[in-house]
Amino acid sequence: MAHSNIALWFLDIILLSFLIFDFGFDSFKEYRLYKLIALPVLLFALIAFNYYKYQYLQSIHRVKRTSRFNLILLSFLIVLEIILVLVNYEGSFTDTFFRERYFMEYGLIFYFFIRLTFLVRGIYDLYFNPAILFVGSFALIAISGTFLLMLPAATTSGISFTDALFTSTSAVAVTGLIVLDTAKDFTPFGQTVIMILFQLGGLGMLTFTSFFAYFFKSGASFKESLFMKDVLGNEKLNSIMQTAMRIVVFSLIIEGIGALLIYSSLQDVENMEHKSFFAVFHAISAYCNAGFSTLSTGLYDAGFRFNYYMQWVVMALIVFGGLGYAIASNFIQYVKKFFYNIFNKKNQKFISRVITLNTKIVMYTTLILIVAGTAFFLLSEQQTNLAEHKTVFGKFTTAMFSSVTTRTAGFNTVDMTNFTIPGILFMIFLMWIGASPASTGGGIKTTTFALATLNIFSIAKDKPNIEIGTRRVAKEAVLRAFAIIAISLTSIGTGILLLLIFNPEFTLLQIAFETFSAYSTVGLSLGITPALSENSKYVIIFLMFFGRIGLINLMIGILKSVNTTEYTYPKENILIN
């Protein structure tokens, strides 16, 4: 059994190397004969060792879903390739094979991803520190993405390590700041890599790992559940892995619906190739609040800035992603019980406490910010960005889109440099707040801002706690909120100072906007990103990364004491004002 596992991991390394060379190097096409031989041999070897492992596990009554699934998947790829070659046979077997081989190779990529998730899962047993593993997973994805983007086939004219790292980190941190034109400087392969990076970054590699672990193994160990409890912020230990699976399924469903709606909005767009890829790319980018676009000028492109239908679809995806699965799940639970009470009057369920206090705070804060942002931009941008929109509906849609996208999404349907100074300052405020906890967005989060605001009124009223309705907010949450605010302002302030040193040619407003956008993982820019110096790019890279993972998570992982002894020192008051 041990030998078969070693052989399988060895074959996985060969498989990864083969796929990288095949997709990433155009010159590798010269070795057609070797690929013709190597790919089937590799596939049959994988089937053989997986079959051996399956038989061994079956002999000791330990057959697992993953072994059975791997065998079915690999066998299906062989059969599918044979059928495709026979059905589409033209000219020669070799030409037909190379034209149809991508179905097999995409299937092998999926197989490799499954194997990778179980490798990550195995790390749990070697090192158990949720915060460090959470941070490490994002770092690993960013570094892997960097090398994939440096492959010759990923770009049209090459890319430096710094620019590749910047783009990869921006994608993994679902930021959207770019130093190269995603539409022109990256090939379809490079754009696909970027899309996969912000999909993994938006939902989290560990969430995908838990999804496959639960799907294939019908559950998880207590240690794994304890690990994911901290990642997902779910206190119910018995349902942690189910929650991870539901997050992935829910997200893919929303993205799929969004892609279909975006595709339907493109029917009047002429001379556009690859509409399906465009729809999928932008649906995932919107839901993950990534802000990447395959249009050089983003949604400000002449063919899209007046496409209000598509903009409303993108806004809906941004809001869903910015709220997160927990809020959506809470509402679904409430709706179920609400309709149950309507149709079952004799056995009505008590539903007054179904909507949690966290959901109420998130929803009210989100609604207030969207409405306030829309009203402010309608007032401040009438003579600038709203002037070219002739209808009231168009002006309202554009103002609301600016309000929604500013809170971590990063899409733009207007020229960012045309904003008034008050408009830019209010955008910085919205970027700083960001989306909601346990979502795909960044910023200090809506709950952090809400608790900080409510705490001001609580202190003014001389109350020891924040009280909302008939509930009292835990002091730990308030302390964490103010720690997050302090860390964010310190990080952003440091970033501004460094960028002013490295790029003194830019104004304070331009640099402040860029820095807030990077730390809050928004992706909006006043046009200075490509012109940043090498040192400034690395400052932005660190800001994007720390903004996505939450610097406080890294600090907890490093500084948290293993000593859990309960004790308190004598209390002494400190003068504040």
Side-chain angles (χ1 to χ4, degrees), residues 63-80:
V63 176
K64 298 178 181 178
R65 292 187 193 177
T66 180
S67 301
R68 187 183 298 114
F69 179 83
N70 286 341
L71 269 177
I72 294 173
L73 174 62
L74 295 171
S75 302
F76 172 76
L77 293 177
I78 284 283
V79 174
L80 178 63

PDB file of all heavy atoms in Angstrom, residues 63-80:
ATOM      1  N   VAL A  63     -12.681   0.320   1.293  1.00  0.00           N
ATOM      2  CA  VAL A  63     -12.846   1.016   0.020  1.00  0.00           C
ATOM      3  C   VAL A  63     -13.419   2.415   0.270  1.00  0.00           C
ATOM      4  O   VAL A  63     -14.421   2.562   0.956  1.00  0.00           O
ATOM      5  CB  VAL A  63     -13.770   0.238  -0.931  1.00  0.00           C
ATOM      6  CG1 VAL A  63     -13.998   1.031  -2.206  1.00  0.00           C
ATOM      7  CG2 VAL A  63     -13.147  -1.100  -1.245  1.00  0.00           C
ATOM      8  N   LYS A  64     -12.749   3.416  -0.294  1.00  0.00           N
ATOM      9  CA  LYS A  64     -13.179   4.798  -0.114  1.00  0.00           C
ATOM     10  C   LYS A  64     -13.685   5.356  -1.438  1.00  0.00           C
ATOM     11  O   LYS A  64     -13.291   4.916  -2.510  1.00  0.00           O
ATOM     12  CB  LYS A  64     -12.015   5.644   0.409  1.00  0.00           C
ATOM     13  CG  LYS A  64     -11.513   5.174   1.767  1.00  0.00           C
ATOM     14  CD  LYS A  64     -10.322   6.005   2.218  1.00  0.00           C
ATOM     15  CE  LYS A  64      -9.803   5.511   3.570  1.00  0.00           C
ATOM     16  NZ  LYS A  64      -8.623   6.263   4.020  1.00  0.00           N
ATOM     17  N   ARG A  65     -14.538   6.371  -1.335  1.00  0.00           N
ATOM     18  CA  ARG A  65     -15.120   6.957  -2.536  1.00  0.00           C
ATOM     19  C   ARG A  65     -14.064   7.507  -3.483  1.00  0.00           C
ATOM     20  O   ARG A  65     -14.191   7.412  -4.693  1.00  0.00           O
ATOM     21  CB  ARG A  65     -16.062   8.100  -2.145  1.00  0.00           C
ATOM     22  CG  ARG A  65     -17.312   7.678  -1.419  1.00  0.00           C
ATOM     23  CD  ARG A  65     -18.205   8.903  -1.253  1.00  0.00           C
ATOM     24  NE  ARG A  65     -19.272   8.655  -0.300  1.00  0.00           N
ATOM     25  CZ  ARG A  65     -20.163   9.573   0.066  1.00  0.00           C
ATOM     26  NH1 ARG A  65     -20.092  10.782  -0.447  1.00  0.00           N
ATOM     27  NH2 ARG A  65     -21.102   9.286   0.932  1.00  0.00           N
ATOM     28  N   THR A  66     -13.011   8.099  -2.914  1.00  0.00           N
ATOM     29  CA  THR A  66     -12.013   8.723  -3.765  1.00  0.00           C
ATOM     30  C   THR A  66     -11.328   7.722  -4.681  1.00  0.00           C
ATOM     31  O   THR A  66     -11.038   8.013  -5.837  1.00  0.00           O
ATOM     32  CB  THR A  66     -10.958   9.471  -2.913  1.00  0.00           C
ATOM     33  OG1 THR A  66     -10.011  10.056  -3.769  1.00  0.00           O
ATOM     34  CG2 THR A  66     -10.275   8.534  -1.941  1.00  0.00           C
ATOM     35  N   SER A  67     -11.039   6.513  -4.175  1.00  0.00           N
ATOM     36  CA  SER A  67     -10.389   5.490  -5.003  1.00  0.00           C
ATOM     37  C   SER A  67     -11.305   5.063  -6.140  1.00  0.00           C
ATOM     38  O   SER A  67     -10.872   4.928  -7.289  1.00  0.00           O
ATOM     39  CB  SER A  67     -10.017   4.275  -4.142  1.00  0.00           C
ATOM     40  OG  SER A  67      -9.156   4.653  -3.094  1.00  0.00           O
ATOM     41  N   ARG A  68     -12.572   4.849  -5.809  1.00  0.00           N
ATOM     42  CA  ARG A  68     -13.532   4.446  -6.830  1.00  0.00           C
ATOM     43  C   ARG A  68     -13.728   5.554  -7.862  1.00  0.00           C
ATOM     44  O   ARG A  68     -13.767   5.311  -9.069  1.00  0.00           O
ATOM     45  CB  ARG A  68     -14.861   4.090  -6.169  1.00  0.00           C
ATOM     46  CG  ARG A  68     -15.890   3.494  -7.133  1.00  0.00           C
ATOM     47  CD  ARG A  68     -17.206   3.223  -6.438  1.00  0.00           C
ATOM     48  NE  ARG A  68     -17.059   2.248  -5.379  1.00  0.00           N
ATOM     49  CZ  ARG A  68     -17.226   2.517  -4.087  1.00  0.00           C
ATOM     50  NH1 ARG A  68     -17.524   3.741  -3.694  1.00  0.00           N
ATOM     51  NH2 ARG A  68     -17.080   1.574  -3.175  1.00  0.00           N
ATOM     52  N   PHE A  69     -13.818   6.801  -7.374  1.00  0.00           N
ATOM     53  CA  PHE A  69     -14.036   7.926  -8.283  1.00  0.00           C
ATOM     54  C   PHE A  69     -12.846   8.117  -9.221  1.00  0.00           C
ATOM     55  O   PHE A  69     -13.015   8.391 -10.414  1.00  0.00           O
ATOM     56  CB  PHE A  69     -14.273   9.205  -7.478  1.00  0.00           C
ATOM     57  CG  PHE A  69     -14.488  10.427  -8.337  1.00  0.00           C
ATOM     58  CD1 PHE A  69     -15.732  10.706  -8.868  1.00  0.00           C
ATOM     59  CD2 PHE A  69     -13.429  11.285  -8.618  1.00  0.00           C
ATOM     60  CE1 PHE A  69     -15.941  11.823  -9.661  1.00  0.00           C
ATOM     61  CE2 PHE A  69     -13.619  12.403  -9.411  1.00  0.00           C
ATOM     62  CZ  PHE A  69     -14.881  12.667  -9.933  1.00  0.00           C
ATOM     63  N   ASN A  70     -11.619   7.990  -8.691  1.00  0.00           N
ATOM     64  CA  ASN A  70     -10.431   8.145  -9.525  1.00  0.00           C
ATOM     65  C   ASN A  70     -10.395   7.117 -10.648  1.00  0.00           C
ATOM     66  O   ASN A  70     -10.057   7.439 -11.792  1.00  0.00           O
ATOM     67  CB  ASN A  70      -9.167   8.026  -8.671  1.00  0.00           C
ATOM     68  CG  ASN A  70      -8.929   9.247  -7.807  1.00  0.00           C
ATOM     69  OD1 ASN A  70      -9.473  10.317  -8.078  1.00  0.00           O
ATOM     70  ND2 ASN A  70      -8.134   9.104  -6.760  1.00  0.00           N
ATOM     71  N   LEU A  71     -10.746   5.898 -10.325  1.00  0.00           N
ATOM     72  CA  LEU A  71     -10.772   4.840 -11.350  1.00  0.00           C
ATOM     73  C   LEU A  71     -11.815   5.141 -12.423  1.00  0.00           C
ATOM     74  O   LEU A  71     -11.551   4.996 -13.620  1.00  0.00           O
ATOM     75  CB  LEU A  71     -11.084   3.485 -10.695  1.00  0.00           C
ATOM     76  CG  LEU A  71      -9.890   2.646 -10.236  1.00  0.00           C
ATOM     77  CD1 LEU A  71     -10.369   1.386  -9.541  1.00  0.00           C
ATOM     78  CD2 LEU A  71      -8.995   2.295 -11.424  1.00  0.00           C
ATOM     79  N   ILE A  72     -12.990   5.557 -11.990  1.00  0.00           N
ATOM     80  CA  ILE A  72     -14.062   5.864 -12.949  1.00  0.00           C
ATOM     81  C   ILE A  72     -13.663   7.042 -13.828  1.00  0.00           C
ATOM     82  O   ILE A  72     -13.845   7.024 -15.051  1.00  0.00           O
ATOM     83  CB  ILE A  72     -15.372   6.168 -12.196  1.00  0.00           C
ATOM     84  CG1 ILE A  72     -15.868   4.906 -11.477  1.00  0.00           C
ATOM     85  CG2 ILE A  72     -16.445   6.678 -13.165  1.00  0.00           C
ATOM     86  CD1 ILE A  72     -17.070   5.148 -10.578  1.00  0.00           C
ATOM     87  N   LEU A  73     -13.104   8.092 -13.216  1.00  0.00           N
ATOM     88  CA  LEU A  73     -12.705   9.287 -13.964  1.00  0.00           C
ATOM     89  C   LEU A  73     -11.642   8.970 -14.999  1.00  0.00           C
ATOM     90  O   LEU A  73     -11.771   9.345 -16.180  1.00  0.00           O
ATOM     91  CB  LEU A  73     -12.187  10.357 -12.998  1.00  0.00           C
ATOM     92  CG  LEU A  73     -11.588  11.619 -13.645  1.00  0.00           C
ATOM     93  CD1 LEU A  73     -12.645  12.347 -14.473  1.00  0.00           C
ATOM     94  CD2 LEU A  73     -11.003  12.541 -12.586  1.00  0.00           C
ATOM     95  N   LEU A  74     -10.589   8.274 -14.601  1.00  0.00           N
ATOM     96  CA  LEU A  74      -9.490   7.961 -15.518  1.00  0.00           C
ATOM     97  C   LEU A  74      -9.945   7.039 -16.637  1.00  0.00           C
ATOM     98  O   LEU A  74      -9.560   7.215 -17.810  1.00  0.00           O
ATOM     99  CB  LEU A  74      -8.327   7.341 -14.748  1.00  0.00           C
ATOM    100  CG  LEU A  74      -7.646   8.265 -13.724  1.00  0.00           C
ATOM    101  CD1 LEU A  74      -6.661   7.478 -12.863  1.00  0.00           C
ATOM    102  CD2 LEU A  74      -6.930   9.406 -14.427  1.00  0.00           C
ATOM    103  N   SER A  75     -10.767   6.058 -16.298  1.00  0.00           N
ATOM    104  CA  SER A  75     -11.289   5.145 -17.327  1.00  0.00           C
ATOM    105  C   SER A  75     -12.192   5.892 -18.305  1.00  0.00           C
ATOM    106  O   SER A  75     -12.145   5.659 -19.526  1.00  0.00           O
ATOM    107  CB  SER A  75     -12.066   4.002 -16.672  1.00  0.00           C
ATOM    108  OG  SER A  75     -11.248   3.284 -15.772  1.00  0.00           O
ATOM    109  N   PHE A  76     -12.993   6.802 -17.785  1.00  0.00           N
ATOM    110  CA  PHE A  76     -13.874   7.607 -18.637  1.00  0.00           C
ATOM    111  C   PHE A  76     -13.067   8.456 -19.617  1.00  0.00           C
ATOM    112  O   PHE A  76     -13.446   8.603 -20.783  1.00  0.00           O
ATOM    113  CB  PHE A  76     -14.758   8.493 -17.762  1.00  0.00           C
ATOM    114  CG  PHE A  76     -15.565   9.503 -18.534  1.00  0.00           C
ATOM    115  CD1 PHE A  76     -16.687   9.120 -19.243  1.00  0.00           C
ATOM    116  CD2 PHE A  76     -15.175  10.844 -18.555  1.00  0.00           C
ATOM    117  CE1 PHE A  76     -17.431  10.049 -19.961  1.00  0.00           C
ATOM    118  CE2 PHE A  76     -15.907  11.777 -19.276  1.00  0.00           C
ATOM    119  CZ  PHE A  76     -17.035  11.378 -19.979  1.00  0.00           C
ATOM    120  N   LEU A  77     -11.948   9.004 -19.159  1.00  0.00           N
ATOM    121  CA  LEU A  77     -11.110   9.828 -20.032  1.00  0.00           C
ATOM    122  C   LEU A  77     -10.546   9.017 -21.197  1.00  0.00           C
ATOM    123  O   LEU A  77     -10.486   9.492 -22.332  1.00  0.00           O
ATOM    124  CB  LEU A  77      -9.966  10.456 -19.226  1.00  0.00           C
ATOM    125  CG  LEU A  77     -10.371  11.499 -18.179  1.00  0.00           C
ATOM    126  CD1 LEU A  77      -9.155  11.976 -17.405  1.00  0.00           C
ATOM    127  CD2 LEU A  77     -11.087  12.668 -18.828  1.00  0.00           C
ATOM    128  N   ILE A  78     -10.146   7.797 -20.908  1.00  0.00           N
ATOM    129  CA  ILE A  78      -9.633   6.927 -21.977  1.00  0.00           C
ATOM    130  C   ILE A  78     -10.722   6.634 -23.002  1.00  0.00           C
ATOM    131  O   ILE A  78     -10.527   6.763 -24.218  1.00  0.00           O
ATOM    132  CB  ILE A  78      -9.100   5.600 -21.388  1.00  0.00           C
ATOM    133  CG1 ILE A  78      -7.749   5.813 -20.723  1.00  0.00           C
ATOM    134  CG2 ILE A  78      -9.000   4.522 -22.455  1.00  0.00           C
ATOM    135  CD1 ILE A  78      -6.596   5.938 -21.707  1.00  0.00           C
ATOM    136  N   VAL A  79     -11.896   6.239 -22.520  1.00  0.00           N
ATOM    137  CA  VAL A  79     -13.004   5.891 -23.416  1.00  0.00           C
ATOM    138  C   VAL A  79     -13.437   7.108 -24.223  1.00  0.00           C
ATOM    139  O   VAL A  79     -13.670   7.017 -25.436  1.00  0.00           O
ATOM    140  CB  VAL A  79     -14.192   5.330 -22.594  1.00  0.00           C
ATOM    141  CG1 VAL A  79     -15.407   5.115 -23.495  1.00  0.00           C
ATOM    142  CG2 VAL A  79     -13.796   4.030 -21.910  1.00  0.00           C
ATOM    143  N   LEU A  80     -13.533   8.273 -23.556  1.00  0.00           N
ATOM    144  CA  LEU A  80     -13.949   9.493 -24.244  1.00  0.00           C
ATOM    145  C   LEU A  80     -12.970   9.868 -25.342  1.00  0.00           C
ATOM    146  O   LEU A  80     -13.378  10.256 -26.448  1.00  0.00           O
ATOM    147  CB  LEU A  80     -14.065  10.638 -23.234  1.00  0.00           C
ATOM    148  CG  LEU A  80     -14.453  12.015 -23.809  1.00  0.00           C
ATOM    149  CD1 LEU A  80     -15.846  11.951 -24.428  1.00  0.00           C
ATOM    150  CD2 LEU A  80     -14.392  13.087 -22.730  1.00  0.00           C
TER     151      LEU A  80
END
